[in-house]
């Protein structure tokens, strides 16, 4: 089955530790995205990548980093510089980056920093 | 800048009731508009979309019409089911891969 996988589903970390969230897709999509979702709020774009080896900052990139070394993979690192990292993180992908390119979402990772 | 405003929830209805979730937008030009649905513990799924003014998107009994005069894209369903309980997000395509999402409306349907 084609789709997007995110792991783990739940993640707990101590304050001050970096943590990396996994996102893999086998849809052969060029574009991939990371969003953050907080209770009662919509999704906010952290980073996006339109093609391998290239990525751009979204609206709330501070304290986060990404890489796009393979088409299928777009891992997100939440660094200790992120002031409030506890949130639900969603990865998405799309064929391209145009207005008619549907974004497909993974099931999400809930990160809790203790 | 571009933005989306949708009605606050939670919205609680009885099964077979009529549903409307209001959504208005602010944007330059005429961006594509979307409704996404998020079931408990899952990621988002595209429910329907409209790419130009007066277009009607529809899926699974849900409908929304792109109204440029009122800058609105309200979600409607004639008869809701318990399985429709979820969080619904209105969104618009801004530019350069960016989709701007509303804050979401939680819908609960009583049997």
């Amino acid at each position: 089955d084609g789709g997007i996988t995110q792991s783990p589903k739940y993640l707990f970390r101590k304050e001050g530790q970096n943590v990396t969230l996994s996102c893999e897709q086998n849809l052969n999509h060029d574009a991939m995205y990371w969003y953050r979702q907080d209770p009662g709020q919509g999704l906010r774009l952290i980073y996006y990548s339109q093609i391998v080896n290239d990525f751009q900052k979204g609206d709330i990139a501070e304290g986060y980093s990404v890489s796009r070394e393979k088409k299928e993979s777009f891992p997100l690192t939440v660094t200790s510089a992120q002031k409030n990292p506890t949130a639900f993180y969603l990865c998405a992908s799309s064929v391209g980056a145009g207005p008619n390119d549907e974004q497909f979402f993974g099931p999400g990772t809930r990160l809790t920093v203790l | 800048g571009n933005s989306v405003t949708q009605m606050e929830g939670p919205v609680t209805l009885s099964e077979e009731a009529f549903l409307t979730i209001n959504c208005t937008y602010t944007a330059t030009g005429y961006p594509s508009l979307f409704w996404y649905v998020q079931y408990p513990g899952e990621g988002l799924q595209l429910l329907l979309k409209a790419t130009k003014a007066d277009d009607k998107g529809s899926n699974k009994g849900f409908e929304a019409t792109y109204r440029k005069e009122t800058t609105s894209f309200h979600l409607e369903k004639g008869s809701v089911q318990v399985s429709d309980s979820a969080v619904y997000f209105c969104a618009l395509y801004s530019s350069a891969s960016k989709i701007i999402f509303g804050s979401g409306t939680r819908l609960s349907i009583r049997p």
Side-chain angles (χ1 to χ4, degrees), chain A residues 22-72:
Chain A
S22 167
C23 177
E24 304 277 333
Q25 55 98 359
N26 61 4
L27 300 168
N28 201 33
H29 287 171
D30 283 320
M32 297 187 74
Y33 314 81
W34 273 107
Y35 292 92
R36 171 182 170 135
Q37 184 179 18
D38 293 285
Q41 295 189 35
L43 280 65
R44 293 181 289 169
L45 183 65
I46 304 173
Y47 268 98
Y48 64 100
S49 167
Q50 295 183 339
I51 199 166
V52 175
N53 292 322
D54 187 47
F55 51 83
Q56 286 80 39
K57 293 182 179 180
D59 299 318
I60 55 165
E62 186 176 348
Y64 299 97
S65 65
V66 294
S67 63
R68 186 85 188 277
E69 297 175 2
K70 297 188 299 182
K71 188 175 186 177
E72 314 82 63

Side-chain angles (χ1 to χ4, degrees), chain B:
Chain B
N2 296 344
S3 66
V4 175
T5 303
Q6 60 182 105
M7 64 188 287
E8 292 189 17
V11 174
T12 302
L13 297 172
S14 297
E15 205 166 19
E16 299 184 2
F18 184 86
L19 168 72
T20 300
I21 300 178
N22 289 338
C23 172
T24 57
Y25 66 90
T26 302
T28 52
Y30 302 107
S32 294
L33 301 174
F34 312 91
W35 276 101
Y36 281 83
V37 59
Q38 184 178 33
Y39 298 102
E42 297 183 11
L44 276 68
Q45 301 173 25
L46 179 65
L47 180 60
L48 53 85
K49 69 179 181 183
T51 58
K52 60 183 188 294
D54 300 325
D55 262 4
K56 178 185 281 190
S58 61
N59 186 26
K60 299 182 181 179
F62 290 89
E63 292 182 341
T65 301
Y66 192 135
R67 304 252 186 237
K68 66 177 182 181
E69 304 85 5
T70 53
T71 61
S72 65
F73 192 54
H74 304 321
L75 183 68
E76 297 181 335
K77 186 175 186 183
S79 176
V80 292
Q81 306 301 313
V82 172
S83 58
D84 294 326
S85 298
V87 180
Y88 292 82
F89 293 92
C90 185
L92 65 81
Y93 182 89
S94 180
S95 64
S97 311
K98 285 190 172 186
I99 292 181
I100 295 176
F101 290 85
S103 58
T105 301
R106 183 175 299 278
L107 173 66
S108 295
I109 307 300
R110 293 188 300 252

